Amino acid sequence: MKNILEAPFLQEFCRTASNMYRLGWDERNGGNISYLLKKEEVAEFLDLNHVVRVIPFAGVHNTSFDAAPLAGKIFLVTGTGKYFKNVERDPANNIGIVRIADNGKEVELLWGYEDGGRFTSEFPAHMMSHIARLSVDPENRVILHCHPTNLLAMTYVHELDEAKFSHTLWEMSTECIVVFPDGVGVLPWMLCGTDTIGMATAEKMKEFRTVIWSLHGVYGAGKNLDECFGLVETCEKAATIYNIIGSRPIKNTLTEDNMKELIDLFGISPRYDFFVEEKYRKLAK
Ligand code: 2HA
Ligand code: ZN
């Protein structure tokens, strides 16, 4: 059996947590990541018949969430109360590898959380989001939550209308419409760590890979850690530009005609219903 601390998927996970910390997206114990692993890749490093302990979902928060659609799937997940700052230095205490039990109500710990810890309090939101993303994209493996400063600031001053919020982000740099043509979903402030916000997030995840939690942070989804990280990074960059502009008068911006040129060049299909001009709105499915 190879050393789990040398597993490429674990090392990449740790580096991602460090990068998120250094960018200021994960202060204190803020944020969480769940990464759907391939059984074969885990089997090279861990005995899949050895369950360290069984952890019920219900813990800090009560949950009626049923993870049965994910039964048997293995996830690498950040621990509750743990700091992203410490993940890379001490993975065994700060993250864990868990398998969803057949009853859909608990997980089997295969490795990690060595100080007796457990998965993030946002676990139901993560698992519900995985179920939602997998239903529209079987390749989706990552759900990531964090508190990027500028996106968060933007939710204090921008209307929380999904179409307007997405459009503003698209205007803030040329790359945006290419990286997230699906726009961003926006939820109002809701109590975190609950099934309710989990279900609302998952519902949005059927349409969007990015879901803004107003006055709190963001959820991102993706096929791999790089793609998911890059998505949040691009949204956060756009929000940074929005905040730097502030209330100064706009003299130039990306127009919808500019966006259409990018759409045609990259062969993407954006949320045309988020456009303003009728000639583009007509193209909405
Ligand atoms: O895990 O970010 O939303 C800490 C959080 C909760
Ligand atoms: Zn949070």
Side-chain angles (χ1 to χ4, degrees), residues 3 45 51 62 81 91 117 123 127 137 158 173 183 226 236 256 280:
N3 179 359
F45 301 91
V51 175
N62 274 330
F123 198 68
M127 293 302 116
D137 176 10
H158 195 283
S173 96
D226 261 357
E236 171 63 0
E256 293 191 342
Y280 295 128

Side-chain angles (χ1 to χ4, degrees), residues 29-32 120-122 145 147 192 213 216:
N29 64 321
N32 25 74
T120 166
S121 59
E122 300 295 354
H145 164 65
H147 307 158
C192 53
W213 279 12
H216 182 142

Side-chain angles (χ1 to χ4, degrees), residues 35-64:
Y35 181 17
L36 173 57
L37 302 175
K38 296 183 182 135
K39 220 171 271 179
E40 324 77 77
E41 68 186 351
V42 186
E44 288 180 41
F45 301 91
L46 296 176
D47 173 2
L48 299 185
N49 294 317
H50 181 245
V51 175
V52 180
R53 61 191 153 98
V54 171
I55 314 176
F57 288 158
V60 186
H61 299 281
N62 274 330
T63 181
S64 55

Side-chain angles (χ1 to χ4, degrees), residues 5-271:
L5 295 175
E6 284 164 18
F9 57 80
L10 186 135
Q11 294 188 345
E12 201 198 347
F13 188 96
C14 291
R15 280 195 300 272
T16 304
S18 292
N19 282 329
M20 292 172 72
Y21 172 70
R22 277 193 284 269
L23 286 166
W25 301 354
D26 298 277
E27 74 290 347
R28 202 174 180 274
N29 64 321
N32 25 74
I33 314 175
S34 59
Y35 181 17
L36 173 57
L37 302 175
K38 296 183 182 135
K39 220 171 271 179
E40 324 77 77
E41 68 186 351
V42 186
E44 288 180 41
F45 301 91
L46 296 176
D47 173 2
L48 299 185
N49 294 317
H50 181 245
V51 175
V52 180
R53 61 191 153 98
V54 171
I55 314 176
F57 288 158
V60 186
H61 299 281
N62 274 330
T63 181
S64 55
F65 165 59
D66 180 7
L70 298 170
K73 293 207 187 299
I74 300 174
F75 292 90
L76 181 49
V77 191
T78 47
T80 185
K82 302 300 188 192
Y83 292 24
F84 270 46
K85 177 170 74 71
N86 301 333
V87 165
E88 193 166 17
R89 181 176 51 76
D90 183 13
N93 281 317
N94 289 290
I95 61 180
I97 297 179
V98 299
R99 179 171 55 208
I100 308 295
D102 289 340
N103 63 16
K105 294 283 172 212
E106 51 198 18
V107 301
E108 298 161 343
L109 178 65
L110 300 176
W111 175 85
Y113 308 141
E114 281 184 1
D115 59 3
R118 51 185 279 138
F119 42 77
T120 166
S121 59
E122 300 295 354
F123 198 68
H126 275 252
M127 293 302 116
M128 289 181 213
S129 294
H130 276 286
I131 294 170
R133 283 311 304 167
L134 287 168
S135 74
V136 291
D137 176 10
E139 303 279 296
N140 193 87
R141 307 193 83 80
V142 177
I143 300 289
L144 168 165
H145 164 65
C146 56
H147 307 158
T149 314
N150 285 284
L151 272 174
L152 194 36
M154 193 171 158
T155 66
Y156 285 79
V157 293
H158 195 283
E159 277 175 83
L160 298 178
D161 175 86
E162 242 149 42
K164 290 182 184 163
F165 205 96
S166 300
H167 201 285
T168 300
L169 290 175
W170 286 340
E171 284 172 57
M172 293 300 125
S173 96
T174 298
E175 294 270 282
C176 286
I177 190 112
V178 182
V179 176
F180 50 99
D182 48 341
V184 298
V186 180
L187 287 177
W189 184 86
M190 294 173 78
L191 185 61
C192 53
T194 62
D195 282 1
T196 315
I197 198 167
M199 284 186 290
T201 308
E203 203 45 45
K204 293 283 180 206
M205 281 276 174
K206 292 181 189 161
E207 260 181 88
F208 304 99
R209 291 167 303 144
T210 315
V211 180
I212 308 289
W213 279 12
S214 295
L215 321 181
H216 182 142
V218 65
Y219 261 70
K223 296 184 198 324
N224 56 52
L225 286 163
D226 261 357
E227 192 201 67
C228 192
F229 178 90
L231 176 65
V232 172
E233 194 179 25
T234 309
C235 291
E236 171 63 0
K237 175 72 176 263
T240 307
I241 295 163
Y242 175 80
N243 290 332
I244 289 173
I245 294 169
S247 52
R248 286 186 293 172
I250 299 273
K251 301 248 168 81
N252 312 289
T253 194
L254 280 160
T255 63
E256 293 191 342
D257 289 340
N258 297 150
M259 291 181 201
K260 183 70 169 88
E261 285 188 60
L262 287 156
I263 289 161
D264 291 343
L265 179 67
F266 287 93
I268 48 183
S269 51
R271 287 289 298 250

